[in-house]
Amino acid sequence: MGFANRVLWTLLSLVVLAGRALAQPVEIGPTGIRVTDVAVAPAAPGLIYVASGSGVQKSVDGGTSWAATPRVPGEVTNVVIDSLSAQTVFAIFDVDGSASSRLYRSRDGGESWTSVAFPSQRRIRRVTVRGSTVYAAAYGYVLLPNWDLGHRDASMVSRDGGTTWLPLGFTTNPIEAFAIDPVNPNETLAFSSWDFYRTNDAGGHWSLLFEEQWAGFRACAIDPTNPSIVYLGASSGMRRSVDGGATWGAVGLDAGSVNAIIVDPSSPSTVYAGTSGGLFRSADSGESWQSIGFAFESVDAVALDPASPGSLYVIAGGRLFRVRPEGPKCAPGASTLCLNGGRFQVQVTWQSTGEGSGLGHAIPLSSNTGYFWFFDGANIELAVKILDGTAYNGKFWFFAGSLTDVGYTIVVTDTETGVGKSYRSAPGRMSSFADTSAFPRADGAVVEVSGDIAAGPTPATAYLGAVEACTVGRDSVCLSGGRFRAQVTWRTTDGRSGAAQANAVTSDTGSFWFFQESNVELVLKVLDGRSLNGHYWVFYGALSDVAYTITVTDTETGIVKTYDNPQGTLASHADTDAF
């Protein structure tokens, strides 16, 4: 088990089943306003920004409601979220009747905006942001020999988050946009209307890789899992490179201009293209395409919806839509649990300063319950379950019990409604919690909840002397090489009591149920921590607030420890000095 000192929340990968038909698009607003661009925060489900003629509009609930951020003069043409921080947002405002654009930055999620000191007399097409690195594709005007005004490239780069800027000057053709390599940010791609460039040193030097006169390049996307694969959209279709842009080939997409390209990070063979002839999807990295909506209508922007697997936000005709796959969407996988008849999808990301970050590995335990391990398959870190409580309060209930203090985020999606909930636990905390009003909510709503910590009990210690070796029974499990026996008794407020039924999950971990086998109430593990502090460690996470007593016996020494949980308490607890 790792120990984390600070929280860093990361992208939760979503599983998309390629080839599934999409339901009819649903317009989600903001109503009465023409929108031109959309930005979605992958690590903050439900957070959406749109650019419009009325400033930047923001939704925190997946488009159910909208609010204007503090108004900055001008028409917003582009809004971009920093790929490393959902709180940092940039917006381009074109000044009416002027040859200039103004660039604004918010570092508090759009609550306030400050003007970025970008050189004047430049029109900014698009900004690309990754942490302190900001590229601005811009152009200026030049007087041609025939006295007409032409365009010259005036793109800039900032290495301090937009405070100061340096001119790039590697071409005279106006750059349309930049694309930063998600694996190696020193590598960045840039394209004009008919040529394509790459830098390997964060913009210091640029190389021309590809040129096609009058191609009308409009969009670019890098495969986030394999940066050698690059897609380039043009006025006459799409190109693809499998060697980082050195060579290119056409893909079979004949739908007019390609205005937007999205590669699904969890299923990189799935590619979406917004075109002048509608929305298209490829399940085989661009080899073949199928129309999935907006036939014969221009799609100008596309973004993945992190709160609903396989769903998209789409701008077409100046309006924002959400489109979702039809039919059941949860597919169990290495990082995905499908609970309660497959209706609910559960995924977890973890973050540790010592171990990095990643997806939790999902293991089903019953039809309603499962667990996740982070680093070692024998070491369970988190147990979850979903119960149908509609007969009691009209809701489905979600429970989680952690056996770790590693920081993590749980995302639960109701695949029938698209409603998602995100639960976050900070590093250094052990949380058990119950959300008995989890689902359903209004369609498309996403709520973030921090797991509450119930104070762990002070263990009672006894010494029995010599005891029998541990044997597995219906009410006991043998953990940590069979040395420790774990048993649980429960009691209710109406006077009932009994011995919990036990099941071994791994060599170190067991689960217990009280009333029904499919309803796991408690998960417990014993780890050998002697190499760190000379003790065996006991961890448990509750999925129930029923009163219970845990008894753990060291069959080699006869030492017994009991942990008593009072009625109405949901607790996760770590005893790193147990034995």
Side-chain angles (χ1 to χ4, degrees):
M1 174 180 133
F3 286 85
N5 297 317
R6 61 189 179 91
V7 61
L8 293 170
W9 303 114
T10 56
L11 170 67
L12 179 66
S13 298
L14 299 176
V15 176
V16 176
L17 299 182
R20 178 182 291 130
L22 292 181
Q24 287 297 313
V26 176
E27 186 174 357
I28 61 171
T31 58
I33 299 174
R34 181 176 178 82
V35 297
T36 56
D37 196 17
V38 58
V40 177
L47 178 59
I48 313 170
Y49 297 90
V50 294
S52 76
S54 300
V56 177
Q57 305 287 321
K58 176 182 177 181
S59 175
V60 296
D61 54 14
T64 300
S65 60
W66 293 89
T69 64
R71 182 69 187 273
V72 182
E75 178 180 355
V76 187
T77 59
N78 179 219
V79 60
V80 177
I81 299 175
D82 182 356
S83 61
L84 300 182
S85 171
Q87 292 296 303
T88 302
V89 189
F90 284 80
I92 299 171
F93 294 79
D94 280 349
V95 181
D96 291 337
S98 168
S100 297
S101 300
R102 293 177 183 171
L103 183 60
Y104 286 81
R105 177 182 62 203
S106 173
R107 285 179 168 165
D108 55 11
E111 295 301 315
S112 61
W113 296 86
T114 58
S115 178
V116 174
F118 195 82
S120 61
Q121 299 302 309
R122 285 171 168 82
R123 280 282 189 180
I124 309 172
R125 295 184 189 271
R126 196 164 189 88
V127 293
T128 303
V129 186
R130 180 184 170 89
S132 60
T133 300
V134 186
Y135 288 97
Y139 65 89
Y141 293 94
V142 61
L143 186 64
L144 300 176
N146 61 358
W147 299 98
D148 287 339
L149 283 178
H151 294 167
R152 60 175 175 81
D153 185 67
S155 295
M156 311 282 287
V157 63
S158 173
R159 308 193 197 285
D160 55 13
T163 302
T164 59
W165 294 86
L166 296 172
L168 290 172
F170 58 89
T171 179
T172 58
N173 296 328
I175 293 297
E176 297 285 335
F178 294 85
I180 300 175
D181 187 323
V183 176
N184 180 6
N186 288 327
E187 301 224 4
T188 299
L189 305 177
F191 62 95
S192 74
S193 182
W194 61 72
D195 44 22
F196 190 84
Y197 301 85
R198 180 175 65 197
T199 178
N200 298 321
D201 57 4
H205 302 84
W206 294 82
S207 301
L208 175 64
L209 297 183
F210 176 53
E211 184 176 16
E212 185 178 332
Q213 200 90 12
W214 316 117
F217 296 134
R218 298 169 180 262
C220 180
I222 303 173
D223 184 331
T225 63
N226 183 0
S228 295
I229 301 176
V230 183
Y231 300 88
L232 186 60
S235 59
S236 58
M238 187 185 294
R239 316 289 190 273
R240 181 185 65 190
S241 173
V242 296
D243 53 15
T247 60
W248 295 83
V251 300
L253 179 60
D254 184 14
S257 299
V258 177
N259 306 319
I261 308 170
I262 295 290
V263 181
D264 185 346
S266 66
S267 177
S269 61
T270 302
V271 185
Y272 298 92
T275 78
S276 58
L279 181 63
F280 290 79
R281 176 176 56 204
S282 172
D284 51 15
S285 301
E287 294 297 327
S288 60
W289 296 84
Q290 67 173 141
S291 174
I292 56 172
F294 303 93
F296 310 111
E297 187 173 3
S298 182
V299 172
D300 300 314
V302 181
L304 288 170
D305 178 1
S308 179
S311 300
L312 304 169
Y313 293 109
V314 176
I315 291 181
R319 298 180 295 167
L320 178 65
F321 299 84
R322 183 192 290 114
V323 290
R324 291 195 176 102
E326 292 179 334
K329 290 180 280 294
C330 188
S335 60
T336 303
L337 287 176
C338 297
L339 303 180
N340 208 276
R343 174 170 175 171
F344 294 94
Q345 173 181 281
V346 186
Q347 295 175 310
V348 175
T349 52
W350 56 266
Q351 183 71 52
S352 167
T353 54
E355 304 287 348
S357 62
L359 289 172
H361 298 264
I363 306 294
L365 200 55
S366 73
S367 60
N368 297 325
T369 310
Y371 67 84
F372 292 87
W373 60 269
F374 300 164
F375 313 113
D376 183 344
N379 184 13
I380 295 172
E381 309 278 4
L382 178 69
V384 297
K385 75 177 178 184
I386 295 179
L387 298 181
D388 185 350
T390 53
Y392 299 92
N393 68 345
K395 307 288 185 180
F396 286 88
W397 304 348
F398 178 72
F399 300 80
S402 68
L403 306 174
T404 181
D405 70 348
V406 172
Y408 59 82
T409 301
I410 309 169
V411 172
V412 186
T413 304
D414 183 344
T415 63
E416 288 191 8
T417 66
V419 174
K421 274 198 169 183
S422 173
Y423 303 86
R424 298 183 175 186
S425 182
R429 302 175 63 183
M430 289 190 66
S431 304
S432 280
F433 57 89
D435 184 358
T436 56
S437 299
F439 300 95
R441 288 178 58 88
D443 183 45
V446 178
V447 178
E448 294 187 5
V449 181
S450 294
D452 293 328
I453 304 172
T458 301
T461 304
Y463 180 69
L464 298 182
V467 295
E468 295 181 357
C470 186
T471 56
V472 176
R474 285 182 55 82
D475 62 352
S476 62
V477 287
C478 300
L479 305 176
S480 195
R483 173 171 174 169
F484 295 92
R485 178 190 301 118
Q487 298 170 299
V488 178
T489 57
W490 56 267
R491 54 201 178 275
T492 63
T493 54
D494 60 6
R496 293 181 296 153
S497 63
Q501 303 298 293
N503 289 296
V505 180
T506 72
S507 60
D508 293 327
T509 309
S511 65
F512 298 86
W513 59 271
F514 300 166
F515 312 111
Q516 186 177 2
E517 187 171 5
S518 62
N519 183 15
V520 176
E521 308 277 4
L522 183 70
V523 179
L524 181 144
K525 70 182 180 185
V526 179
L527 298 181
D528 186 350
R530 290 176 297 176
S531 62
L532 299 177
N533 70 344
H535 293 274
Y536 283 90
W537 304 347
V538 174
F539 300 82
Y540 65 84
L543 303 174
S544 171
D545 66 354
V546 172
Y548 57 82
T549 298
I550 301 169
T551 301
V552 182
T553 304
D554 184 344
T555 62
E556 289 191 8
T557 65
I559 295 175
V560 178
K561 285 207 172 181
T562 59
Y563 305 84
D564 190 63
N565 185 76
Q567 181 72 33
T569 300
L570 265 166
S572 282
H573 183 60
D575 182 0
T576 56
D577 297 310
F579 296 96

